[in-house]
Amino acid sequence: MNDLSGSIVVIIGGSSGIGLETARQAHAADARLILTGRDQGRLDAVRDELGASTATLDLADADGLRRFFGELPARVDHVLVSGGGPTYAPIAEMDFDQARAVLDEHLLGSLRIARECAARVRAGGSLTFITGTHARRPGVGLSLAAIGAVALPAIAANAALELAPMRVNAIAAGFVDTPLSARLLGDELEQRRERLRTTLPIRRVVGPADVAALALHLMTNTALTGGTYDVDGGQQLVP
């Protein structure tokens, strides 16, 4: 299982966090890697570590996205979209220009990527989106993140039907202990970790390797398409 020998794997947002860990696991499974990111320094580091081809890319740049896919090899095997983390803002304090940009990147951006992949991913290959579980429970500041979490499964299911035989799936991640989580939580990070260790059914915090392992499984299990798969350590089961 999870043998990617000879496969070309494209990871959008592959220079840090879940994307980087997926790149490492794909490299260990003998894949050829094409990775994108926004930070040239991080891209240079992952190029040196994994021997990957790299490109700077901003998911909000529709023209740049089209150019990137146009310059890919004639056929790639798998694409993972891991870039663009959630945005949190209470409704009363929301910057609607920013909200519009976030929704364009996450929702229309996903559709743009799906359209580009239709011409570049081989038959039976895969496109996988990463989203969150923010729609499972309401909370202050979660509106934008919840909209994305609701929409991505619908996009994946429709794309799986329309763009077959390319397979399309989504991963819905709960809290994952990444550098992004550390930046968002700051001094509250360790408190969050300890609460999860004591309340999650798995009694540990979900890490990037857990999500990456699922991503590789979705790439290699050719029976899976149109689904959304949770990786949250049972977080949604906890009152």
Side-chain angles (χ1 to χ4, degrees):
M1 296 296 291
N2 293 354
D3 180 11
L4 292 170
S5 300
S7 296
I8 299 175
V9 176
V10 178
I11 301 179
I12 297 176
S15 63
S16 64
I18 293 168
L20 175 55
E21 179 58 30
T22 303
R24 287 170 172 153
Q25 291 191 21
H27 175 73
D30 293 326
R32 292 171 53 197
L33 297 172
I34 301 172
L35 310 179
T36 79
R38 297 176 180 176
D39 185 292
Q40 188 61 54
R42 289 204 298 258
L43 283 173
D44 290 345
V46 76
R47 178 198 62 207
D48 295 342
E49 176 188 350
L50 302 177
S53 299
T54 61
T56 56
L57 181 65
D58 188 328
L59 288 179
D61 180 1
D63 291 337
L65 198 65
R66 186 163 49 250
R67 284 194 301 272
F68 169 74
F69 276 95
E71 293 170 0
L72 288 177
R75 280 291 184 267
V76 301
D77 297 282
H78 307 286
V79 176
L80 174 73
V81 184
S82 180
T87 298
Y88 303 105
I91 294 170
E93 302 171 11
M94 191 172 290
D95 180 329
F96 280 88
D97 288 334
Q98 181 189 36
R100 187 177 297 107
V102 167
L103 294 176
D104 180 84
E105 177 179 327
H106 283 260
L107 306 186
L108 296 182
S110 297
L111 291 170
R112 293 184 190 108
I113 290 169
R115 182 172 62 184
E116 296 294 337
C117 285
R120 288 288 171 178
V121 175
R122 66 164 174 82
S126 71
L127 166 62
T128 304
F129 295 105
I130 295 182
T131 185
T133 58
H134 304 89
R136 309 300 166 79
R137 292 177 183 159
V140 175
L142 295 184
S143 295
L144 289 176
I147 290 169
V150 169
L152 258 295
I155 291 172
N158 281 276
L161 183 64
E162 292 187 31
L163 305 180
M166 180 178 73
R167 298 179 296 107
V168 187
N169 293 290
I171 295 173
F175 177 88
V176 182
D177 200 346
T178 65
L180 175 61
S181 299
R183 289 196 300 274
L184 290 172
L185 288 172
D187 294 340
E188 299 177 8
L189 176 62
E190 189 52 45
Q191 181 181 353
R192 173 69 69 85
R193 286 170 172 162
E194 184 56 32
R195 184 164 66 251
L196 291 170
R197 291 186 193 108
T198 58
T199 59
L200 289 183
I202 63 171
R203 296 297 189 266
R204 66 175 179 85
V205 182
V206 174
D210 299 304
V211 185
L214 177 56
L216 261 66
H217 182 71
L218 293 177
M219 292 177 191
T220 57
N221 188 330
T222 58
L224 300 179
T225 193
T228 297
Y229 301 88
D230 290 354
V231 54
D232 69 348
Q235 188 174 355
Q236 63 188 299
L237 306 176
V238 179

